[in-house]
């Protein structure tokens, strides 16, 4: 069955616990091809033992995509749908386009780590007023599960993906909203592999051709290194070797000796599990016009819209499973959403492709707006001069140090 708006409203208004979508994948290169998981502190992979739900056996597993990473992918999928006009979502946008910046960019509430509560928005202006001191920004100061109306209108995705307003005026006492949707991808029967690295320099620059010395960055017609060793009277006027020891490799010249190290895994399958908790959404209330409480009709419309938003995010993100370099997956079956309704009964299975998910979401949004719930459009913020200057200095430092600022 397809999930219709009536189906969704019935699930939200009833006692169903959650929607669940489980999808198995193989590497795009085929069974047995190596995949490369993300690395964490110290270059380590996140490995652990888990019970295989199909066999009951304990299997060695590796995390291919974390809950946090999956949330980012789902939010970016929604952002892409918004930008292409497939759906219109409330969105905060801070534009860093000052002429003094080396790199201009924008940040939206679907990209910022803390969503609408991010410090980038906190330190930006709305119509000449610092955002958190504006009428819209102050909605965060009083938001909680008993009054989520303002947040629903400004940043509904925060109610789906979770929010902690830890950077606001109340610090750690700021509003908190539990994640309603959780997703991750795990590789089973993970066998660690090896990776090789090497480089042949077409110019055949040799180690003994150095050492190289640092060159003043103000020089515009020469590299940032020189072969000339200046011996000045002061330490400041003396030449310093480039990098650690002045080897040509410090300037990325010369060969790199072939080496072997740990890297990548072979797996029997990758499994993505996405769960949208209806229980979490039922705790949220949406009073209108400053009322002390809200009606069942209003609550149902808002919760149904948030459920549709979560289902759309989960469906859209499954379209692109190229997780990172050498970790592209391909689904073994069509994805289906199971409704966990009555204990002991086989969950009902529903199909929901990306296009159908967006249609469902748009229907829910239309009904929510008709009933009187707020649904803002795009709200543009102007970064405060102090924030722009902080970014400008950071960009200059990153450029001087040759580091990536993305």
């Amino acid at each position: 069955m397809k999930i219709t708006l009536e189906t969704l409203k019935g699930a939200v208004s009833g006692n169903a616990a959650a929607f669940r979508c489980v999808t198995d994948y193989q590497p795009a290169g085929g069974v047995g091809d190596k995949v490369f998981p993300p690395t964490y502190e110290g270059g380590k992979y996140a490995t652990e033992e888990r019970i295989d739900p199909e066999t009951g056996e304990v299997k060695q597993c590796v995390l291919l995509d974390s809950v946090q990473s999956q949330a980012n992918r789902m939010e970016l999928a929604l952002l892409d749908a918004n930008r292409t006009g497939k759906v219109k979502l409330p969105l905060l946008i801070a534009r860093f386009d000052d002429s003094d910046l080396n790199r201009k960019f924008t940040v939206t509430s679907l990209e910022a780590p803390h969503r609408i509560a991010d410090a980038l928005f906190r330190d930006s202006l709305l119509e000449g007023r610092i955002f958190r001191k504006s009428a819209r920004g102050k909605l965060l100061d009083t938001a909680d599960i008993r009054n989520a109306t303002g947040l629903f209108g400004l940043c509904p995705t925060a109610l789906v993906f979770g929010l902690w307003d830890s950077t606001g005026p109340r610090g750690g006492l700021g509003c908190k909203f539990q994640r309603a949707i959780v997703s991750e991808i795990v590789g089973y029967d993970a066998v660690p592999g090896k990776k090789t690295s090497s480089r042949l320099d077409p110019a055949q620059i040799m180690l003994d051709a150095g050492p190289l010395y640092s060159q003043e960055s103000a020089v515009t017609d020469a590299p940032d290194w020189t072969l000339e060793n200046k011996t000045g009277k002061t330490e400041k006027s003396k030449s310093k070797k480039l990098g650690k020891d002045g080897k040509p490799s410090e300037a990325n010249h010369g060969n790199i000796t072939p080496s072997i190290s740990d890297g990548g895994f072979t797996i029997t399958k990758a499994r993505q599990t996405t769960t949208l908790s209806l229980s979490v959404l039922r705790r949220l209330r949406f009073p209108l016009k400053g009322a002390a409480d809200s009606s069942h009709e209003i609550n149902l419309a808002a919760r149904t819209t948030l459920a549709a938003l979560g289902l759309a995010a989960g469906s859209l993100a499954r379209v692109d499973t190229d997780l990172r370099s050498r970790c592209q997956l391909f689904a073994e079956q069509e994805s289906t959403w199971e409704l966990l309704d009555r204990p002991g009964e086989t969950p009902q299975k529903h199909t929901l492709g990306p296009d159908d998910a967006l249609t469902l979401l748009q229907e829910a949004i239309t009904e929510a707006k008709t009933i009187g719930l707020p649904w803002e459009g795009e709200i543009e913020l102007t970064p405060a001069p102090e924030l722009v200057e902080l970014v400008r200095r950071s960009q200059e430092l990153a450029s001087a140090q040759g580091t990536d600022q993305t």
Side-chain angles (χ1 to χ4, degrees), residues 13 48 92 181 196 208-209 241 255 266 278 310 332 362 378:
S13 63
E48 63 179 359
L92 287 188
I181 191 166
T196 60
D208 293 336
K241 287 184 178 180
N255 297 329
T266 51
L278 301 181
E332 293 189 286
Q362 189 56 61
E378 294 184 354

Side-chain angles (χ1 to χ4, degrees), residues 175-342:
C175 65
K176 291 183 181 181
F177 289 89
Q178 179 183 342
R179 292 178 189 269
I181 191 166
V182 176
S183 183
E184 69 173 0
I185 304 179
V186 176
Y188 281 81
D189 298 303
V191 178
K194 300 291 183 180
K195 65 178 180 180
T196 60
S197 62
S198 64
R199 185 185 70 196
L200 293 177
D201 185 356
Q204 293 295 301
I205 294 175
M206 306 296 289
L207 173 65
D208 293 336
L212 310 184
Y213 298 91
S214 296
Q215 178 117 277
E216 289 292 334
S217 58
V219 178
T220 59
D221 59 351
D224 60 0
W225 56 266
T226 179
L227 292 167
E228 183 180 354
N229 182 9
K230 299 176 182 178
T231 55
K233 293 182 179 181
T234 65
E235 286 296 320
K236 190 174 182 179
S237 61
K238 292 179 181 179
S239 293
K240 294 182 180 180
K241 287 184 178 180
L242 185 68
K244 183 179 179 181
D245 48 21
K247 293 179 180 178
S249 59
E250 297 287 355
N252 294 317
H253 289 299
N255 297 329
I256 293 180
T257 303
S259 62
I260 300 176
S261 60
D262 293 336
F265 288 79
T266 51
I267 56 176
T268 56
K269 67 181 177 186
R271 171 162 289 183
Q272 180 180 18
T273 304
T274 306
T275 305
L276 174 65
S277 173
L278 301 181
S279 301
V280 170
L281 297 181
R282 286 195 200 99
R283 300 189 189 111
L284 303 176
R285 295 184 177 277
F286 303 87
L288 292 181
K289 298 179 181 179
D293 204 353
S294 55
S295 69
H296 171 73
E297 185 182 19
I298 296 295
N299 287 335
L300 178 58
R303 294 166 184 168
T304 301
T305 302
L306 295 176
L309 189 58
L311 291 172
S315 299
L316 290 170
R318 274 173 158 74
V319 173
D320 183 3
T321 50
D322 186 2
L323 304 181
R324 65 193 61 85
S325 177
R326 297 193 67 182
C327 194
Q328 183 174 5
L329 306 176
F330 191 75
E332 293 189 286
Q333 68 279 135
E334 289 285 343
S335 296
T336 58
W337 291 89
E338 298 176 305
L339 179 61
L340 309 183
D341 193 355
R342 298 181 181 180

Side-chain angles (χ1 to χ4, degrees), residues 3 19-21 23 25 70 73-75 77-78 81 161 181 183 272 274-276 307-321 334-338 350-361:
I3 301 179
F19 279 100
R20 177 179 64 199
C21 186
T23 308
Y25 299 86
Q70 279 284 288
R73 295 182 195 279
M74 287 188 279
E75 288 176 288
L78 288 173
F161 295 104
I181 191 166
S183 183
Q272 180 180 18
T274 306
T275 305
L276 174 65
L309 189 58
L311 291 172
S315 299
L316 290 170
R318 274 173 158 74
V319 173
D320 183 3
T321 50
E334 289 285 343
S335 296
T336 58
W337 291 89
E338 298 176 305
H350 301 270
T351 59
L352 190 68
D355 292 336
D356 291 335
L358 288 173
T359 298
L360 177 65
L361 175 56

Side-chain angles (χ1 to χ4, degrees), residues 160-181:
V160 175
F161 295 104
L163 177 73
W164 181 18
D165 183 24
S166 61
T167 68
R170 293 191 292 166
L173 298 177
C175 65
K176 291 183 181 181
F177 289 89
Q178 179 183 342
R179 292 178 189 269
I181 191 166

Side-chain angles (χ1 to χ4, degrees), residues 41-170:
E41 185 178 3
K44 296 180 180 179
Y45 297 111
T47 57
E48 63 179 359
E49 290 184 338
R50 294 197 183 194
I51 297 176
D52 190 326
E54 294 178 349
T55 65
E57 299 176 356
V58 176
K59 300 289 185 69
Q60 186 67 28
C61 297
V62 61
L63 183 65
L64 296 181
D65 217 39
S66 67
V67 170
Q68 297 84 353
S69 177
Q70 279 284 288
N72 292 339
R73 295 182 195 279
M74 287 188 279
E75 288 176 288
L76 290 178
L78 288 173
L79 180 61
D80 184 64
N82 185 84
R83 285 173 170 167
T84 55
K86 295 177 180 178
V87 68
K88 287 300 179 183
L89 302 174
L91 207 61
L92 287 188
I93 304 176
R95 298 190 184 279
F96 291 81
D97 55 4
D98 192 275
S99 58
D100 290 335
L101 295 177
N102 292 334
R103 180 176 65 88
K104 297 175 176 59
F105 61 97
T106 62
V107 179
T108 72
S109 47
L110 283 169
E111 298 167 295
H114 290 89
R115 302 182 176 93
I116 190 175
D118 199 84
L120 292 177
F121 303 133
R122 181 200 65 197
D123 297 334
S124 293
L125 306 174
L126 177 59
E127 298 174 350
R129 193 182 186 94
I130 202 75
F131 174 65
R132 289 305 297 265
K133 295 179 181 179
S134 69
R136 286 188 175 103
K138 285 182 179 179
L139 292 172
L140 271 173
D141 298 339
T142 55
D144 59 28
I145 62 172
R146 295 164 298 182
N147 186 359
T149 311
L151 197 52
F152 178 88
L154 277 178
C155 187
T157 47
L159 298 173
V160 175
F161 295 104
L163 177 73
W164 181 18
D165 183 24
S166 61
T167 68
R170 293 191 292 166

